[in-house]
Amino acid sequence: MKSFWCERAWLPDGIASRVLVRVDKGLITSVSTVDTIPLGVERLHGLVFPGFANAHSHAFHRALRGRTHSDGGGTFWTWRDRMYAVAERLTPDSYLKLATAVYAEMAVAGVTAVGEFHYLHNGGNEMAEALRQAARDAGIRITLLDACYLAGGIGQPVRGVQERFSDGTGDRWLDRVAELRGDDNTRIGAAIHSVRAVPRETLSLVAGAFPDRPLHVHLSEQPAENDACLESYGLTPTELLAEAGALTPRTTAVHGTHLSDKDIGLLGSTRTGVCFCPTTEADLADGIGPARELAEAGSPLSLGSDQHAVVDPLVEARTLEHNERLRTGRRGRFTPAELVGALTNHASIGWPEAGRLEVGAPADFVAVRTNSVRTAGAEPEQLVLAATASDVAVVVVGGKVVARDGVHERLGDVARLLTEVIP
């Protein structure tokens, strides 16, 4: 058994001071306030949040950071060509090293669980096993969201490096994913890469393949995707997914940038979640999606770092609010509590018991400094609007300290790891 004393803690019913959290076998066994700090406890200063969930990651995209801004700026599609070049070079061994460094970068930033949207299959599950091992080595939980990817575009075959993404048929995808097994650190989910990459006749197969697991899908990230879908099927991507039975409470649509009012209604009425990746959506010039409208319609929101142009969950949460301000000209579109809710939405990646500091939950939490040059003077309830990953002091996963002051307890200097694996 281990105990942690929190100067302040973000509990389900609000912020409390002098909180004692007791942990046994990786789970929280008691949460109480104390006047005297017991001997031998781990002291966590600042404000302690539940662990942060990164609901959308493509680990290998981290190798693109700072390398895709051409003289003309480029587009999403020129960026995609650079991404394909990285995917073409990766092997299971090199991916293990890269993903370990990327997940370690997430860990020191406060991420305790990641949803890895995995489509670099390479003809089997070796890449998936590399990702599983990388997360374990980095000390964070993982949900492998294994993506079906069968087409290079609507009505187009896969070509070149895209062949590494494809299983050939939906049935072959299903058979391969069925071989993956979860464990104490890994959960298995499914994904429809997009309506561009999965033909209409296969969408329902993927949507219904694993009804007790999370299902994720890239949705309406670019106007060109919407245009192609409307031209081919006479439906928006959201309408096409609804037709296939893919919109459910276990589904998370990633991006949801270019949606009609009807799309928003369909997502909200089915309680389909939406994952925003604000720094990636800005980097790729995707646009700003209707986050507030989706939340009001009934869609739970989550956050992801996607291509890892930035790995900073606190910045993603703050940018969700800032984008709403830019889009509408109004402040306070989300309360700080709503931002923290999106930041800690582990249910979106199949860990519904996580994301709360309460008895029975996994002992995953993040201590954030309240006295740095960024956070000094901020009200605790509004710390999410001031702090960054640089203010993350201690990260705990399953009751074990994974990172302190930006240094990984097991792997050491994460910058060194990244420098070694990104040529």
Side-chain angles (χ1 to χ4, degrees):
M1 183 173 289
K2 189 170 184 178
S3 298
F4 296 84
W5 176 83
C6 310
E7 184 179 9
R8 290 190 181 93
W10 190 287
L11 303 182
D13 57 355
I15 294 175
S17 299
R18 305 178 69 83
V19 175
L20 184 66
V21 179
R22 296 189 185 276
V23 176
D24 189 30
K25 297 179 180 178
L27 300 177
I28 297 173
T29 57
S30 72
V31 179
S32 60
T33 56
V34 296
D35 292 327
T36 303
I37 304 174
L39 295 175
V41 303
E42 174 95 22
R43 299 188 182 198
L44 301 178
H45 294 282
L47 177 57
V48 177
F49 291 92
F52 302 153
N54 185 348
H56 189 68
S57 162
H58 302 295
F60 75 93
H61 291 191
R62 173 60 179 84
L64 296 168
R65 184 187 296 176
R67 297 185 174 201
T68 61
H69 189 88
S70 64
D71 289 342
T75 66
F76 172 88
W77 308 104
T78 59
W79 170 89
R80 190 179 71 163
D81 290 340
R82 297 292 298 274
M83 178 269 287
Y84 284 170
V86 173
E88 194 167 27
R89 297 195 301 267
L90 285 171
T91 66
D93 287 344
S94 64
Y95 203 8
L96 172 60
K97 294 174 183 176
L98 175 58
T100 300
V102 174
Y103 294 156
E105 183 179 7
M106 292 182 197
V108 300
V111 172
T112 59
V114 61
E116 181 63 34
F117 196 111
H118 171 52
Y119 57 87
L120 184 52
H121 306 309
N122 203 26
N125 284 324
E126 287 183 297
M127 293 294 205
E129 294 302 327
L131 291 165
R132 180 204 302 265
Q133 187 61 48
R136 186 174 291 278
D137 290 347
I140 67 174
R141 306 179 196 276
I142 187 171
T143 300
L144 281 169
L145 298 159
D146 196 293
C148 185
Y149 193 119
L150 302 176
I154 295 176
Q156 302 175 21
V158 292
R159 294 185 178 90
V161 70
Q162 292 174 335
E163 294 177 5
R164 301 188 75 183
F165 309 159
S166 178
D167 291 289
T169 69
D171 287 335
R172 289 175 187 165
W173 169 83
L174 181 61
D175 290 344
R176 182 181 53 73
V177 178
E179 295 174 358
L180 292 169
R181 295 287 184 271
D183 56 38
D184 63 331
N185 200 67
T186 307
R187 293 190 177 169
I188 309 299
I192 295 166
H193 179 275
S194 60
V195 299
R196 290 181 289 109
V198 179
R200 185 181 198 173
E201 61 271 17
T202 309
L203 288 172
S204 59
L205 181 150
V206 181
F210 304 101
D212 59 341
R213 301 180 186 180
L215 173 70
H216 285 219
V217 55
H218 290 127
L219 178 67
S220 292
E221 183 176 5
Q222 289 284 322
E225 175 185 324
N226 288 0
D227 294 343
C229 192
L230 283 165
E231 182 178 351
S232 298
Y233 305 126
L235 299 170
T236 67
T238 302
E239 291 168 341
L240 190 65
L241 292 172
E243 175 192 81
L247 302 185
T248 72
R250 67 183 179 89
T251 305
T252 295
V254 182
H255 303 303
T257 310
H258 303 282
L259 301 174
S260 69
D261 290 343
K262 183 178 179 181
D263 292 339
I264 293 170
L266 285 169
L267 293 165
S269 64
T270 55
R271 298 287 294 167
T272 297
V274 179
C275 178
F276 283 89
C277 307
T279 61
T280 287
E281 288 149 9
D283 182 70
L284 296 179
D286 287 342
I288 300 174
R292 183 71 256 174
E293 289 87 341
L294 284 161
E296 291 178 351
S299 291
L301 302 187
S302 55
L303 294 164
S305 62
D306 195 354
Q307 57 140 339
H308 319 304
V310 177
V311 174
D312 191 326
L314 289 157
V315 166
E316 300 290 355
R318 181 156 62 253
T319 306
L320 183 69
E321 164 66 16
H322 287 176
N323 280 352
E324 279 291 303
R325 296 180 185 187
L326 290 171
R327 186 175 70 88
T328 67
R330 294 165 54 198
R331 303 181 81 240
R333 297 282 285 171
F334 290 101
T335 67
E338 287 176 314
L339 297 177
V340 173
L343 185 61
T344 58
N345 183 355
H346 290 72
S348 66
I349 53 174
W351 297 87
E353 69 274 34
R356 298 179 303 281
L357 294 180
E358 64 181 20
V359 173
D364 302 350
F365 33 90
V366 180
V368 178
R369 295 183 194 85
T370 55
N371 61 353
S372 75
V373 295
R374 289 162 294 277
T375 61
E379 296 179 3
E381 292 81 1
Q382 298 188 38
L383 195 65
V384 70
L385 296 169
T388 72
S390 296
D391 301 309
V392 171
V394 180
V395 182
V396 177
V397 182
K400 298 178 181 178
V401 175
V402 171
R404 293 182 193 273
D405 299 320
V407 178
H408 198 280
E409 287 282 279
R410 181 176 178 273
L411 300 173
D413 180 5
V414 178
R416 175 186 56 80
L417 289 179
L418 290 163
T419 300
E420 289 174 353
V421 300
I422 301 176

